[in-house]
Amino acid sequence: MKNLIGLLVSLLLGVLIILTLASSPSFPEFGSVDINDRVAGEYLDNDNVEEVGSGNIVTAIVVGYRGFDTLGEVTVLFISALGIALIFSDKKQKRLDLKFKPNFMLKTGSRIVFGIILITSLYIIFHGHLTPGGGFPGGVMIASAILLLYLADDKFRSNIKGFKVLEGVAGSLFVIIGLLGLVIGTYFLENFIPVGSLGELLSAGIIPIIYMLIGLKVGSEISGIVDNFLTEGESA
Amino acid sequence: MIQYAAIILFVFGLYGLLTQRNIIKMIISLNIMEIGLFIFIISIGFVYDGVAPIISSVSETGLLFVDPLPQALVLTAIVIGVGTTALALAFAKSIHNKYQTFSLDEMEEQL
Amino acid sequence: MTLFDVITSVIGVLLLVLAFLAINSKSLIKSVLFLSSLSMLAVVSFVIMRAPDVAITEAVIGSGLVTALFVFTLLAAERRETK
């Protein structure tokens, strides 16, 4: 009986959404959109692109035009990592005993692969304003490299205090750079470093600096989450 | 066609969230809803014969670009979805510590 | 019907089939694996719709992080049940 009511409610919602969007004159057809009618016409304009200096327009929107939303997103990630650390807090912790030993190939292969993953993640973070990528996937790749170290060794525990200090410092530096923009220039997160020419590595003002800070912060947060999932307290 | 598939994926996720009685299946249905929503939002900004919004030199700005604004919004939303899923799984693990089961019916019997 | 329409229709049908299998399967680990492959199909559709930033982010997160967290939760629960 409950299954039938659930099925009817979700079918009703789906039919309502499809009928409303199909008959509305302001919802465009799939693929036939005029960019100059939308806000994106201003973002893709020739003069504005030269003024911001970043080749990747999505990076320019996420860190430049809408940088305050990125600050909110970093706050949400911080709150979720804080909640997980609060749930799994015990006095003395040891590594979770999962009853299978890591393979020999995993133990030796992970030493080479760890270096390759770390270099790739640093490349993606540094070139965030020239090629697709940026701070968020680069930070999660750093956490993936640490996850590989956890999987390859039974008794490994990383330096959690160092990660927490790094995360706090990176987050505070993000806010301090924004406040510097307020002090020197006119608004929060203003670009006060001279913008170079389009397409070089050292260009686009404060955008590479902020992406590097975001990458370090996201990487250390998710490493902390992985460590919390793989340990247990002494009393269990 | 892919817009219809994305909306039906959202409806599947909602049906799974309403009817399943296992906590892990509820978290999986939440993730399915999120994936359907991301595909729908990006399909709003698509332009036929457009290229990805990356400019390498100033002289080639006569091209037709895809709308970059929905992509920036979905980038934020993906990371927030990860935070939500991780916190929900931590709660599920802590519940299993106390009740030794993941199913809501068996938890109601123990109360 | 251009090639683009054919490919998007095939991907759409595969998305719906995988979602149905993920919700209605009996074992939990199979549902988690179906969710991971659903995420991979979403990455393919992001690349087709010319969004490389979103595709890289979803590929790293969907395959590396969310699947690993699900598997760690299920392994810890199974270990406690057989103790």
Side-chain angles (χ1 to χ4, degrees):
Chain A
M1 190 55 205
K2 277 187 198 165
N3 285 359
L4 203 55
I5 295 182
L7 184 64
L8 281 178
V9 163
S10 8
L11 272 181
L12 188 63
L13 182 70
V15 165
L16 264 174
I17 292 179
I18 291 183
L19 281 181
T20 311
L21 288 178
S23 70
S24 150
S26 59
F27 186 71
E29 279 276 327
F30 176 60
S32 50
V33 176
D34 193 5
I35 295 293
N36 296 327
D37 281 344
R38 297 179 164 183
V39 185
E42 302 285 325
Y43 293 149
L44 289 168
D45 196 16
N46 214 352
D47 304 325
N48 289 346
V49 166
E50 269 191 41
E51 183 182 334
V52 171
S54 153
N56 190 354
I57 307 289
V58 178
T59 297
I61 293 179
V62 162
V63 183
Y65 292 110
R66 304 224 174 178
F68 201 59
D69 300 344
T70 305
L71 186 62
E73 166 190 2
V74 164
T75 306
V76 167
L77 255 187
F78 171 69
I79 289 178
S80 99
L82 187 67
I84 293 179
L86 272 178
I87 289 178
F88 287 136
S89 66
D90 259 332
K91 286 291 166 45
K92 286 199 278 198
Q93 301 216 321
K94 62 174 177 59
R95 190 57 203 275
L96 199 61
D97 181 22
L98 286 174
K99 279 203 181 53
F100 62 89
K101 299 283 174 226
N103 210 354
F104 166 71
M105 256 168 45
L106 187 58
K107 273 196 242 194
T108 44
S110 74
R111 290 180 203 172
I112 303 178
V113 178
F114 172 72
I116 294 180
I117 294 181
L118 213 55
I119 288 186
T120 306
S121 74
L122 285 177
Y123 172 81
I124 285 188
I125 295 180
F126 280 143
H127 286 73
H129 55 287
L130 299 172
T131 58
F136 290 109
V140 179
M141 268 192 206
I142 293 182
S144 297
I146 304 236
L147 174 68
L148 181 67
L149 280 186
Y150 267 91
L151 284 177
D153 190 0
D154 227 358
K155 300 273 175 289
F156 174 77
R157 284 206 72 197
S158 63
N159 188 4
I160 286 304
K161 282 217 170 53
F163 276 144
K164 299 246 182 278
V165 166
L166 179 66
E167 169 188 349
V169 164
S172 319
L173 273 179
F174 185 8
V175 178
I176 286 177
I177 287 185
L179 286 176
L180 268 180
L182 192 62
V183 162
I184 295 181
T186 48
Y187 51 90
F188 190 68
L189 282 174
E190 187 195 8
N191 208 345
F192 54 87
I193 295 180
V195 169
S197 64
L198 191 70
E200 306 220 339
L201 188 54
L202 292 177
S203 63
I206 60 172
I207 289 182
I209 302 179
I210 287 189
Y211 247 165
M212 209 174 328
L213 291 173
I214 286 179
L216 285 176
K217 182 173 172 68
V218 168
S220 39
E221 255 168 3
I222 300 195
S223 305
I225 289 180
V226 164
D227 179 81
N228 277 332
F229 264 83
L230 278 177
T231 58
E232 63 175 356
E234 283 285 324
S235 56
Chain B
M1 287 317 116
I2 208 162
Q3 288 182 325
Y4 291 120
I7 293 181
I8 298 180
L9 202 62
F10 181 78
V11 166
F12 269 178
L14 185 64
Y15 166 72
L17 198 56
L18 283 176
T19 57
Q20 294 294 326
R21 307 297 285 169
N22 194 338
I23 290 188
I24 302 287
K25 286 262 181 82
M26 282 186 195
I27 300 177
I28 289 181
S29 306
L30 206 59
N31 271 1
I32 292 180
M33 274 169 80
E34 286 179 356
I35 287 183
L37 205 57
F38 297 153
I39 297 180
F40 183 68
I41 291 182
I42 287 198
S43 77
I44 289 182
F46 178 66
V47 175
Y48 276 127
D49 300 327
V51 294
I54 296 183
I55 298 180
S56 21
S57 64
V58 192
S59 61
E60 61 174 34
T61 47
L63 296 174
L64 195 63
F65 284 113
V66 167
D67 196 358
L69 190 58
Q71 300 179 15
L73 301 176
V74 168
L75 199 64
T76 302
I78 288 179
V79 178
I80 291 184
V82 168
T84 305
T85 300
L87 194 57
L89 282 175
F91 276 135
K93 193 171 170 192
S94 170
I95 283 179
H96 189 89
N97 276 358
K98 184 167 182 205
Y99 289 104
Q100 266 79 40
T101 178
F102 275 134
S103 156
L104 283 181
D105 301 326
E106 293 179 21
M107 274 187 240
E108 280 176 3
E109 284 175 21
Q110 284 187 28
L111 267 180
Chain C
M1 289 280 278
T2 63
L3 185 62
F4 184 82
D5 289 338
V6 168
I7 291 183
T8 49
S9 307
V10 166
I11 287 184
V13 167
L14 271 178
L15 278 173
L16 295 178
V17 165
L18 275 178
F20 179 74
L21 282 174
I23 292 182
N24 278 6
S25 85
K26 289 287 181 282
S27 81
L28 288 176
I29 193 73
K30 275 191 193 173
S31 291
V32 168
L33 289 174
F34 283 137
L35 180 69
S36 182
S37 45
L38 189 69
S39 177
M40 278 297 118
L41 272 181
V43 170
V44 170
S45 72
F46 288 152
V47 170
I48 285 183
M49 291 200 270
R50 316 278 199 264
D53 258 323
V54 181
I56 290 182
T57 306
E58 172 73 27
V60 171
I61 284 181
S63 77
L65 200 65
V66 174
T67 306
L69 289 180
F70 269 111
V71 166
F72 289 156
T73 307
L74 288 178
L75 274 179
E78 176 185 306
R79 181 199 64 121
R80 196 165 292 111
E81 271 176 10
T82 61
K83 220 181 204 183

